[in-house]
Amino acid sequence: MTARKFTVYKGLSRPLIYKGFRGKFIYWGIGAVLSGLVLGSVTMAVINMWLGTVVLIGCIVGGLVYIASRQKKGLYNKTRQKGIFIVTPSIYERPEV
């Protein structure tokens, strides 16, 4: 019996990508779709079917557009300060005794 050889996928350190969404934004997209479905169905049951449809479409589309705009800022939210910052040293010399 000989040992079988399999190729190993080398891109494991890269984030998961699905339909243009990367990493944590996939889960945010799933949350937007599910919350849209829940809010739309509750609105359909309580108020009106047409208003529920508008709420459903609005929540899903609005959530996905918001997530896509957040994704353009990067996978990891870092505060990017614009400007020139002057840092003064906080170390002082002790006077000799």
Side-chain angles (χ1 to χ4, degrees):
M1 227 186 240
T2 61
R4 295 173 67 185
K5 292 184 179 182
F6 296 100
T7 58
V8 177
Y9 178 63
K10 299 290 184 179
L12 293 178
S13 63
R14 294 171 41 196
L16 181 65
I17 298 174
Y18 179 74
K19 300 273 184 185
F21 292 108
R22 283 180 277 185
K24 67 180 179 180
F25 297 108
I26 295 172
Y27 301 113
W28 287 20
I30 292 170
V33 169
L34 290 178
S35 66
L37 287 173
V38 168
L39 288 173
S41 63
V42 168
T43 307
M44 283 183 193
V46 173
I47 299 174
N48 188 354
M49 186 175 123
W50 297 109
L51 181 64
T53 305
V54 170
V55 169
L56 174 103
I57 293 170
C59 285
I60 291 175
V61 171
L64 293 178
V65 167
Y66 172 74
I67 293 167
S69 70
R70 293 287 300 210
Q71 182 175 334
K72 287 184 181 180
K73 294 181 181 177
L75 189 58
Y76 306 104
N77 288 337
K78 297 178 184 176
T79 56
R80 294 189 172 105
Q81 304 284 339
K82 293 183 179 179
I84 299 172
F85 298 97
I86 300 172
V87 179
T88 58
S90 61
I91 300 173
Y92 62 93
E93 295 181 23
R94 288 193 210 173
E96 295 183 25
V97 180

